[in-house]
Amino acid sequence: GLNRLAPQPLDKDALIAIAGELGSDVPFLVSDALLAWGWGRGDRLLSLPSLPARSVDLITFAEGVNTGDAYRALNRTVGEASPAHVWSCSELGSWDALTGLAHNDFEAVVEPLHPGVARWLPLVRAHARSRCEAGQHAIGLMSGSGATCFLLSENVIGADWPAPGVGEQVVRTSTAEAIVLPEPTA
């Protein structure tokens, strides 16, 4: 938004280069994509067609997870690399496909490090599983290297969450179907 409002905005390549230095998820956030497959340090993106909006419940915590600690823990547990797979856009272009593919390698190492994730991640997984069993597309994961947990589904309304603890918050929102850019100032 600041770049769009700047009198001399940076071009897309310069903005992506700066974004990559801030974190692996930041290049996506400054891109024009609503959905993208990312690799490398997040600076390589394949934009995919947007999908229909879905409800999302985010469970946030006052205390986050140190990204360096999460990567060190993950590096200690990394075994044999998974066999290579070539993904097609059609495999990534529907909620049905994404529901089957969605996973987060950090969950195994962050869950024992963060009490909030340890409490909420099993709950979002259980809600996602029950919704999938009822024929809905649902994903329940932890985002990135932690610590936000989320439930994404066709209908999150009615999720029976326990009362949030101290420093915990449940935020109900939805995915976007379009990007709305800020208006330039005169």
Side-chain angles (χ1 to χ4, degrees):
L2 290 174
N3 192 55
R4 180 137 167 104
L5 297 172
Q8 296 177 345
L10 299 173
D11 66 32
K12 188 58 77 180
D13 290 338
L15 195 58
I16 295 289
I18 291 169
E21 294 297 317
L22 297 174
S24 295
D25 52 350
V26 181
F28 170 76
L29 297 173
V30 300
S31 77
D32 295 334
L34 283 169
L35 178 64
W37 184 262
W39 65 97
R41 290 254 319 129
D43 55 344
R44 306 210 39 193
L45 296 168
L46 172 64
S47 183
L48 299 166
S50 64
L51 297 175
R54 292 292 184 253
S55 297
V56 182
D57 274 3
L58 302 169
I59 295 88
T60 65
F61 309 98
E63 296 290 324
V65 172
N66 180 290
T67 301
D69 290 345
Y71 271 96
R72 281 187 286 282
L74 184 63
N75 286 339
R76 287 191 296 270
T77 65
V78 172
E80 294 274 326
S82 302
H85 180 82
V86 177
W87 300 101
S88 70
C89 288
S90 64
E91 288 178 284
L92 304 171
S94 72
W95 284 119
D96 186 41
L98 292 177
T99 298
L101 295 173
H103 73 279
N104 184 341
D105 293 338
F106 281 105
E107 290 178 350
V109 297
V110 170
E111 190 171 3
L113 297 175
H114 193 282
V117 172
R119 176 178 178 219
W120 284 90
L121 188 55
L123 296 172
V124 299
R125 285 179 182 149
H127 272 288
R129 189 173 35 257
S130 70
R131 289 167 192 275
C132 287
E133 289 168 357
Q136 293 185 31
H137 302 122
I139 301 169
L141 296 173
M142 180 185 76
S143 73
S145 57
T148 300
C149 296
F150 67 90
L151 173 65
L152 180 146
S153 78
E154 295 176 57
N155 180 10
V156 175
I157 304 302
D160 186 22
W161 300 122
V166 174
E168 299 176 344
Q169 183 177 4
V170 177
V171 178
R172 186 153 287 143
T173 187
S174 65
T175 63
E177 292 184 271
I179 294 175
V180 178
L181 296 173
E183 293 290 324
T185 58

